[in-house]
Amino acid sequence: MTCENDAIALVAGGAGFIGSHLIDALLGRGWRVICLDNFQTGRFDNVRHLEREPRFDVCEADIIDPLPVRLARSRVPITHVFNLACAASPPHYQADPEHTLLTSVVGTHHLLQLAEQRGARFLLASTSEVYGDPEVHPQQESYWGHVNPIGPRACYDEGKRAAETLSFDFLRTARVDVRVARIFNTYGPRMRADDGRVVSNVITQALAGDDITIYGSGEQTRSFCYVDDLVDGLLRLMTHEQDYRGAINLGNPHELKVHELADLVVAMTGTRSIVSYKPLPIDDPRRRRPDIGIARRVLGWSPRVHLEVGLEKTIAHFAAEARAAADLPFVRSAVRRARSTGARRSTPSTVVAHYER
Ligand code: NAD
Ligand code: UDP
């Protein structure tokens, strides 16, 4: 196994939400990192703090195109390729479905070829969406899934399924040592306020005092994993030396209904927002919870961060962004109220004040 200080990782999608946290963790362990990104949904702000880091480099490119010459021909001995490049929120990946599908298929092929050329290990960030609207619960890796191949989510779901297929074909033919993570809903700081996912929507709506949008009845379930836990799982998956080579679920098995998540955020922020029900999107999965038995056994991994703790950090992130970017009346007045009463964190408004610091 490569000594960590000799490791050079290419992180495709490194300017995104999960990718940027992964890069921080890799640098923290002494790796060198090249971030490859087209900045479609990623932001330079996510890696701005690394601008002066000599072990870090950014390469702007789209992985559906042939890889840039400076990367493909460079002599930098890349030892690990992490492929996280792909818009992940339904509104974003459905905005240009053709590009989403090509990113997973053609883009993954380009990165697998690069890994083969360099003798690098390869990790694919796949998704629980490969299980579609699952008929088996909780979802084990052995379940083949229930995906609508022609629906609006198919560009993402089928793209990731094809990316898994390609990855395992390279593995079977001994061309690349491949690792595949099936990531379940992940949340945390650096999510975009406008990405349309439930965690970002509900928190930004609560902080702004806007209506909280629940799609359908809110009875559908998800299991939310805090980003630090997920990154720990990705690192363990990339570096383990066990014989296991199948796909591995990474997610938090704590399952809750979408309206329960909204209730929790309302309580934590103390917002006066009311819930507004909207139509359920087509093919929206009804239930989702990972079976993480394989991750526990092979990687010694399980999530540690409780939902309330992760949400508190995520709310703090969105409150700070809101403070920097816009005038959110609820945040302002809640903070004013908290300061004038001198109240402690037990009241809703001081919870917001806490996030404001
Ligand atoms: P994100 O949108 O924040 O990050 C994706 C990154 O990939 C962005 O920086 C984007 O600019 C970049 N990108 C997209 N298409 C590209 C292309 N063609 N070429 C180069 N760069 C490209 O999303 P995220 O939540 O950080 O997700 C990261 C990965 O994890 C994705 O592959 C996603 O499918 C997977 N995943 C995420 C979740 C989740 O809950 N966040 C769940 C399952 C799987
Ligand atoms: N959702 C919701 N309100 C929102 C955004 C999403 O009720 O403002 C629902 C969505 O329909 C889905 C769940 O929350 O049932 C999770 O949606 P998200 O887009 O976060 O992730 P995914 O559907 O990809 O799991």
Side-chain angles (χ1 to χ4, degrees):
M1 146 112 191
T2 320
C3 157
E4 289 213 341
N5 291 332
D6 295 336
I8 303 182
L10 178 77
V11 180
F17 157 52
I18 298 174
S20 61
H21 286 280
L22 174 65
I23 288 174
D24 286 344
L26 290 168
L27 290 169
R29 284 166 175 74
W31 295 42
R32 288 172 60 193
V33 178
I34 303 165
C35 165
L36 176 70
D37 208 295
N38 67 353
F39 293 92
Q40 177 191 342
T41 53
R43 296 182 291 188
F44 188 71
D45 274 355
N46 288 342
V47 291
R48 189 181 300 284
H49 59 289
L50 303 172
E51 243 175 334
R52 292 174 200 280
E53 169 56 66
R55 289 178 292 118
F56 177 68
D57 199 3
V58 178
C59 177
E60 184 170 354
D62 194 309
I63 61 167
I64 76 171
D65 299 326
L67 295 180
V69 174
R70 94 171 167 100
L71 192 68
R73 302 232 182 105
S74 95
R75 291 179 191 278
V76 178
I78 294 167
T79 55
H80 299 77
V81 176
F82 291 86
N83 182 12
L84 281 80
C86 190
S89 86
H92 285 164
Y93 70 63
Q94 289 172 24
D96 185 350
E98 186 180 343
H99 183 265
T100 300
L101 186 68
L102 292 177
T103 293
S104 281
V105 182
V106 178
T108 299
H109 192 231
H110 285 147
L111 294 173
L112 280 164
Q113 287 175 316
L114 179 78
E116 181 181 17
Q117 253 173 35
R118 303 300 174 90
R121 205 175 261 187
F122 179 91
L123 184 148
L124 173 70
S126 185
T127 168
S128 53
E129 287 281 327
V130 300
Y131 302 123
D133 185 10
E135 292 160 315
V136 170
H137 194 78
Q139 293 77 55
Q140 293 186 332
E141 291 84 347
S142 55
Y143 177 49
W144 290 355
H146 179 227
V147 173
N148 175 0
I150 56 170
R153 294 174 91 98
C155 58
Y156 184 73
D157 302 8
E158 296 290 14
K160 290 289 188 178
R161 286 168 70 97
E164 287 199 12
T165 305
L166 269 174
S167 303
F168 282 108
D169 284 336
F170 272 69
L171 178 72
R172 256 188 299 276
T173 48
R175 294 164 70 184
V176 177
D177 183 0
V178 160
R179 316 289 163 104
V180 173
R182 291 190 180 146
I183 301 171
F184 285 63
N185 297 63
T186 299
Y187 71 99
R190 300 189 193 154
M191 292 182 89
R192 288 172 59 136
D194 65 352
D195 81 0
R197 288 185 260 200
V198 68
V199 172
S200 43
N201 272 7
V202 167
I203 293 177
T204 51
Q205 290 160 348
L207 289 176
D210 292 341
D211 286 2
I212 290 182
T213 53
I214 291 191
Y215 303 161
S217 63
E219 288 288 305
Q220 69 272 32
T221 69
R222 294 294 187 272
S223 308
F224 298 97
C225 185
Y226 188 64
V227 65
D228 289 357
D229 281 333
L230 194 263
V231 164
D232 177 40
L234 292 176
L235 286 173
R236 286 172 190 247
L237 178 57
M238 181 58 115
T239 56
H240 81 81
E241 302 297 338
Q242 311 292 320
D243 287 337
Y244 184 85
R245 283 295 176 279
I248 298 192
N249 288 340
L250 292 178
N252 193 318
H254 174 64
E255 179 184 3
L256 74 166
K257 295 175 177 168
V258 162
H259 73 75
E260 291 172 333
L261 174 80
D263 291 347
L264 188 56
V265 170
V266 166
M268 289 179 74
T269 55
T271 184
R272 293 197 181 87
S273 296
I274 54 163
V275 169
S276 156
Y277 289 91
K278 304 277 180 199
L280 190 68
I282 296 169
D283 295 336
D284 198 277
R286 284 160 296 174
R287 300 184 74 185
R288 187 181 284 158
R289 170 155 62 100
D291 180 317
I292 58 164
I294 295 180
R296 282 187 209 277
R297 200 178 70 244
V298 176
L299 309 178
W301 178 85
S302 58
R304 294 174 188 285
V305 180
H306 287 283
L307 185 61
E308 284 83 348
V309 175
L311 281 178
E312 183 167 325
K313 293 181 182 188
T314 311
I315 294 169
H317 153 79
F318 283 116
E321 272 206 343
R323 203 174 51 232
D327 230 4
L328 292 184
F330 173 73
V331 175
R332 261 193 298 118
S333 62
V335 169
R336 243 194 338 264
R337 237 180 8 254
R339 285 186 183 139
S340 68
T341 58
R344 304 302 306 163
R345 274 197 60 202
S346 53
T347 63
S349 52
T350 50
V351 174
V352 178
H354 170 75
Y355 301 131
E356 280 272 278
R357 277 198 293 273

